[in-house]
Every structure is written in C-alpha cells, then in structure tokens.
Amino acid sequence: MKIRGLFFIILFFCLSIAKSQDSTVIPDFILKKEDGNELQVHHYFDSIQSTQDSAMLSEIYNTLEKHGNKNKWPLLQAALYKSRGDLYFNQNSFVNAIHSYQKGLDLCEKYELELTQGLILFEMAQVYEAIDKKPEALESQLKAYSLLIKHDSEYAYNSLSHMADIHYSSKNYDEAIEIGKQAINLIESLPPHQTDYSKYISVLNTIGIAYREKNEPDSSIFYLNHAAVLAKEKGFEFWEGLALGNLGLMYQKMGKINIARELVLKDYRISLYHDQNRSAIKSAIEIGKMYQTEKNFNDAKHYYDTALFLIDNEIIQNKLPLYVRHAKAVASWYEAQGDFINAFKLQKQYIAMSDSLSAQAIQLKLAEIKATNDFDTQVNAIKLLTKNGELQKQKIQKQNLIIIASITSLLFIITTAILIYRQLILKKRDHLLLEKHKDKIEAQNTELEAQSEQLSHQNKLIQHINTNLEQEVQKRTIKLKKLNEELDTFIYRSSHDIRQPIATILGLENIARTYVNDGRVLEVLAKIKATAASMDNMLWKLQMSYLLNHDHNQLAEIQIEPFLLGIISIYNDYITHRNINLTTQITPFSITNNPELLKIVLRNIVENALHFSDETSPEVEITGYEQEGEYILKVSDNGEGINPNQVEDIYKAFYKANTKSQGNGLGLYLAAKAADILNINIDVNSSFDKGTTFTLSIPVKA
C-alpha cells in the first residue's frame, strides 16, 4: 500500500510539471482570450515559428485549434490559418499555403479582422511571386497595403517595398519609382528604433536603378548615392558596394569612364570580400569594357580573364548566362584590336551559347506555364472538393431534418389515431373496422407525400450541383484559352528574337567574305549563309502562323506590280544561284486587301515555284491581269509536277509531296490558310514532267 501511494504521488508530481511546462509554451493572454490585440497574437506565432521545429509546431497548433474552437475565438483561428500557411510556404507547398490563407481570409472578412487580413494578403503575395504570378501578387499586395496602413506603418512599408520590387522586375519602371517613393515617405515617418535600414537602402537602390533604366541620370545618381552613403553609415558594406556598382554603371552610360571605373572597382572588391562571386564577375566584365573603351587592352584582358576564372570556380547551377556575357565582351575586345579571326571565333561561341540560353529560356517558360496551370488546377480542385463537402454536409443536415420531421409527423399521426380510436369505441362498433382502414390509408398518403417532397428537393439539389459544375467547366475553358494565347504570343516573340542572331550570322558571313580568298572557305561560307537563310525562313513561317490568328482586319490599298516584285526580290540570291529564268507579265492594278496576309499567300506560292522548277534549266513564269472584278495571278514552273494522288494533301501542315523538298512542309499550308481568310481561291494544275501552275483569284476588295 505504501509503494502504491508513493507511485501516485510521483505520478501527480510529474503531471504537475508537464502542465506547468505546457502553460509556458502558450502564454496567458491567449489562454485567457484577450481579443483586443491582434498584433500581439501574430508576434507570438512569429516567435514560435522561428524557435520550434515542425513536430512541436504541429502539436502547438493542434492545442491552439481546440482552444480556439472551444472558446469561439475567430482571431486565434484566423492567426492559426496564417501561421500554417506560412509553414506550408516555407516547405514550398504552395497549393496548401494558398488554401490555408484563403480559410483565414474568410474568417477575417466575416469578423472584420483588418490587420490579420492584411498580413495574410501580404503572405499570399509572396506565394504568388514565388510561382511567377506577378499580377496576382500585385493585386494581393495592393489589398494588403490598404488594410495594413490603417493599423501598422512598418508592415505597410514592407508591402510597398515588395510592390516596388515586383514592378521593377516586370520592367514597369514608372510604377516602381512611384511606389518606392511612397515607401520612403512612410519609413522616414517611423521612429528610428522601428526603421529597418536594410529595407530602406533596398528601396533607394530600386528607385535608382529604375531611373537608370529610364535614362534619367540626375535622379538615378541622387538615389543610388543616398543608398551608398546610408549603407556605409549603418554598416551594411555589401549594400554599399552594390549601390556603388549600380552608380558606376550609370556614370558609364553617361560616358564618364574614370568615375564609373572607380565605383565599379569598389563594388568588385567588396563583392569578393563577401564571397559574392556572381556580383564580382559582372563587375569585372564591366571594368574590362571600360578599359577597352580607353584602348587599354592589357588591363581590359586582365579583368576579362579574372571574370572567366571566377566563373569556372563558381559553384552555381547555371553558369551559361555568365559565359555568354564573358564571350560577348572578349569578342568585342578582339574586334577592337582588328583581330577579326579570333573575334569571329568568339562571336560563333557567343552565338552558340546564346542559342542554348534561348532554348533554356523557352523550356523554362513552358515549364512555368505548366507549373502555373498545375497550381491553378490543384487550387480549383481543392475549392471544388471543399464546396462538394459543404454541399454534402448540407444534404445530410437536410436529410436529418426530413427524418426528424417524418418521425414527428408519424408520432403525431399515431397520437391522433389513438384519440380517434378511443372516440370511435363510444360509437357504433359496426364502424370500427371501416375507421381503422381509413386511418391507415391517410397515414400511407401522408408518408407518400413526404417522400414525394423529399424527391423533389433532391432533384433541385442535383440541378444546383450541375449548374455549379457547368460554371467550373466554363472557368477552366477560359483559363485554358488564356494559356493557349500566352503560348501563341510566346512562340511569336521567341521566333522574332531568335531571328536576330541569324541576322548576325548573315552579317558576319558577308564580313568574312571580304577577308577570305580561299575557294574552299568561300564554299563553307556559302553553305553557312544558305543554312542561316533556311533557318530564318523557317522562323518567318512561325511568325506567319501567329499573324494568321491575329492580323485580319488591317486593310490597305495595294499596287499589285511593285508589291509582287518586292516579294520576288527576297529570292534574288536564290534565283541567281540556280540561274532561274524568271519572266513576269503583270498588268498594273490596285486592290484593297490585308498586306501582311496577302504577302503570306504570294511569298509561299512564289517560293514553291522557284524551289520545284527544273534542276537543269529552271524556268518560272508569273502573269497577272484583271478579270470580272477579280485579279487573276498565275505562277508556273517547269518542274516534275505533282502526283495526282497527292494534290489533295499538299495544303496539309508538314506534308512533303516530293523527296526533293528541303523545307518543313508549312509553305502551302500557310498560303492556303491565309487565302481562306482573304477569300482568295487557289487552283492548281499539274502535269508530270511539264510543271505546275497555281492560279489565284484575288477579290479586288476584301
């Protein structure tokens, strides 16, 4: 007995210690439900997130959730949703983070918790920016600022600072400057002990580089110099170097090389001291450019070599952009000294790496689009499941009400039947059986009516669910259409950007011919030129595909003869190379049509005739004349013709009817598609070993 008593005393003592330790984890102001101070509650959650591991946090959250539900404390419940969302965000679980934040927002809107609502919107903006959804990030941050400015200036300043950074990264420099200045005015109104000078310096730097991009040197110098001075005063050496480097780049744009070099050198040394090699690499390349501008080629080469050494030894995932920047700079260094051979080699290396970088950018953009689509799909799925859960819960509640009502009705009917039965006993016994049957029939009818009402209610509920599903399908269809439009625009811009290095290749080929007399080298250059021209033609056809979907209504008056001759001039080199006998009989005439789409039709038809003309004695004839309100244009070649079985397929995308074809099978497909838009009829007449004639009937007015 004594041992058992001692055991219970020890157990009680241990439980007391455990209880006292639990109470130290959760402070009294939360346990006592002090609703007034939202900021104090959020500071508590921030403190436990920074000091506790995930397992302990989960235990604390579960305890607080029970406490909040038991005491019906909306502030604690909303703060819990925010804190859990923060934890999901730190774990890169973005869908769960948004879902948790949205639950918190619903509580805040219901109970008018403005400060908590603003803090949740601020964190949601961080999530949207992390998945490259900048419009949604800005929208969330604007809502957050409108709420936070009413309650806490420090949080409101952080919101403005974030918006300024988003606008700058989106190249909205005017908005970045305007919002950055608002942030500065706000932070300067705070007492010194509440001022986060690193964020203050960051905003000054953002405004300065935005003015630099707008080519407004006075304003840029003012803000960048302010940032550098403040960073030095407050002991933020790396920020000082960054601001000085940006200031140096501004002076470089102004042509003040000596001042610029001194400032960028400081940034270079500070970056090396703080092991910020990527920043040091960029600074070294810029210093090399400055020495090169002054024709100090030895010092320029020294910094270029230093940059290359740092790139080679830098431990990062993607060095390609740095190698591209270095190769471009060294190529210009060789060219400035007249060493065109090495310049050309470096230029080729730079172009090859740029092409790889462009390919990586395309893959990254496609991955971002897919990730965004997956993110939206998952968020919508969670919303739909939540909605379905609520509908199911409501359905169960209504069914329970129906059951209770049915039982109540049944009890009422039984009670009534008993009373009637007792009354009928006093009457004639002859009517007893008849009255019993009557009561049963009435009870059955009541039950049938209740069942009918239940079925009617369920049908209405099913119709409501179907309506919601149709709305969800429409929303997803709109989002999918938007994604397709983004992908279409991306392909157009990518093909346009990739044509620029191809133009560079063609230009370099022309330059190289002036320095080379070797026939074999000239032959290689000719093949390079042909290959580049083929790539340029392919990219132009990608741009054609974009124009076919977007450029239908821009009409203009077109003079047929100069318009067609301009198209033919594009192929002058090809005509000369193959010694094609090209004859034209074009009656001058004016039509009204879309120039870009008409150019797609004529260019692809003419290119097809030139390409498939006879190999030994190529001939192409183009005739045009007006006839009965239409302009008839015939393009004929003397090639081997088209197999009659393949005539119906020549307008299909990527179809090649001839092994001689070296294109991508898009020319006639694009021509036919543009002709259909412009109401142009295309007729083809082909004979084996005699050639092919395309006849176009073009309306005088589109």
Side-chain angles (χ1 to χ4, degrees), residues 137-149:
L138 277 173
E139 182 182 0
S140 293
Q141 207 58 269
L142 281 168
K143 292 178 181 177
Y145 172 74
S146 65
L147 295 167
L148 294 173
I149 193 64

Side-chain angles (χ1 to χ4, degrees), residues 79-91:
L80 264 169
Y81 283 129
K82 175 191 173 296
S83 193
R84 279 181 166 151
D86 295 344
L87 186 60
Y88 285 131
F89 178 43
N90 292 334
Q91 296 170 348

Side-chain angles (χ1 to χ4, degrees), residues 41 216 274 277 387:
V41 171
E216 294 184 23
H274 288 277
N277 287 345
K387 186 66 176 178

Side-chain angles (χ1 to χ4, degrees), residues 19 54 128 130 137 139 144 239 271 308 312 329 331 347 355 377 396 413 475 528 532 561 648 676 694:
K19 185 175 181 180
S54 58
Y128 284 130
E139 182 182 0
W239 273 107
S271 296
L308 181 60
D312 290 338
Q347 188 73 17
D355 290 344
T377 301
I396 292 171
I413 291 170
K475 289 179 182 178
I528 290 173
E561 184 178 19
E648 295 296 326
D676 184 62
F694 284 88

